Amino acid sequence: MKFQSLVLILVVLFASTATNQAISTSNSSLVNISDPHVIEIANFALTEYNKKNNEVKLKYEKVINGISAIIDDETNYCLTLAANNGSSSNNYGADVLEKPSKNYTLGFFARLND
């Protein structure tokens, strides 16, 4: 009986996860890399990164690509952007959550492998 209950719980958990992924994918769209709002979000990500990283300050160059997804009145932006560290240009990934009050939260920022 315990084994059957565990299997049932796992089936429900996997079904729920699959449904959530399908919903978030259907709400995703490509961003306009020239949109001033998207550029503002990329600059926010760089500013937050620079506040936490005292070794190297990055300077914004451009947004390369990205997607946005609306979930519960919040918009999640996953951006690939180019930034210069003073000696070379590299690509970085940033995940920024925009709340309805236009407040941003940086969830993730990292250099991407070439």
Side-chain angles (χ1 to χ4, degrees):
M1 181 69 173
K2 288 182 181 180
F3 179 74
Q4 291 172 336
S5 297
L6 178 61
V7 170
L8 178 62
I9 290 171
L10 288 175
V11 168
V12 170
L13 179 63
F14 286 127
S16 173
T17 302
T19 302
N20 287 340
Q21 288 176 347
I23 290 171
S24 64
T25 302
S26 67
N27 290 337
S28 298
S29 61
L30 295 174
V31 298
N32 176 353
I33 61 173
S34 302
D35 183 345
H37 186 67
V38 172
I39 294 169
E40 175 184 334
I41 291 167
N43 276 304
F44 165 81
L46 283 172
T47 300
E48 289 301 301
Y49 173 82
N50 285 338
K51 285 180 188 177
K52 296 176 184 174
N53 183 358
N54 293 325
E55 297 173 17
V56 177
K57 300 296 183 196
L58 299 176
K59 290 190 177 185
Y60 172 83
E61 290 182 339
K62 66 180 179 178
V63 175
I64 297 169
N65 61 43
I67 60 171
S68 65
I70 299 172
I71 303 168
D72 296 331
D73 294 335
E74 298 178 339
T75 305
N76 188 50
Y77 291 88
C78 297
L79 304 175
T80 301
L81 54 106
N84 192 299
N85 64 10
S87 61
S88 65
S89 179
N90 295 295
N91 293 342
Y92 296 85
D95 183 53
V96 177
L97 180 66
E98 179 182 21
K99 298 183 180 182
S101 59
K102 298 296 180 194
N103 290 333
Y104 305 127
T105 303
L106 179 63
F108 177 78
F109 189 92
R111 182 177 171 191
L112 302 176
N113 293 334
D114 297 328

